[in-house]
Amino acid sequence: MRIVSQDGRFDLPYELVVVSIDTVDKMTIIAYAVNSDDSEIWKLAEYSTKEKAAKAMEMLRTEYGNYKQAKSSEYYFAFNYPKVFRFPKDSGV
């Protein structure tokens, strides 16, 4: 599944990044690579309250729960769309 930032600047593979709420301000959602020495952090979304950030993370988990992959011999295929989740604007949470 692909994760698109609120402003559309970043489009990341969910399976290769860690997505979390920033521990400092608790209103920004960030991502960083799982298996990399790169310390780059991507800002995916920013919300006006901690509750909205938590709700956006819940929306992401719900959408990912609807996205499944099955393996047929050596090929993967996806079903139960969506394949893309874009973080909603503050007013959309």
Side-chain angles (χ1 to χ4, degrees):
M1 186 168 94
R2 305 294 297 185
I3 301 202
V4 179
S5 63
Q6 205 173 38
D7 62 8
R9 289 180 49 223
F10 301 112
D11 182 330
L12 305 169
Y14 191 40
E15 294 78 10
L16 298 178
V17 296
V18 173
V19 178
S20 69
I21 296 175
D22 188 322
T23 58
V24 176
D25 73 6
K26 299 187 182 353
M27 294 184 291
T28 303
I29 296 177
I30 58 172
Y32 52 92
V34 174
N35 295 322
S36 173
D37 292 332
D38 187 2
S39 61
E40 185 169 1
I41 295 174
W42 299 283
K43 181 171 126 180
L44 299 179
E46 190 168 19
Y47 295 99
S48 58
T49 66
K50 294 185 265 186
E51 294 78 17
K52 284 188 175 191
K55 176 69 176 172
M57 287 294 289
E58 182 182 324
M59 293 167 72
L60 171 61
R61 286 189 290 275
T62 299
E63 289 298 315
Y64 187 70
N66 292 330
Y67 174 77
K68 298 175 176 51
Q69 283 189 340
K71 186 174 182 184
S72 172
S73 66
E74 59 193 54
Y75 299 101
Y76 285 92
F77 62 95
F79 54 95
N80 288 347
Y81 292 90
K83 287 180 159 181
V84 176
F85 175 82
R86 183 169 184 164
F87 277 98
K89 297 191 180 302
D90 189 74
S91 61
V93 178

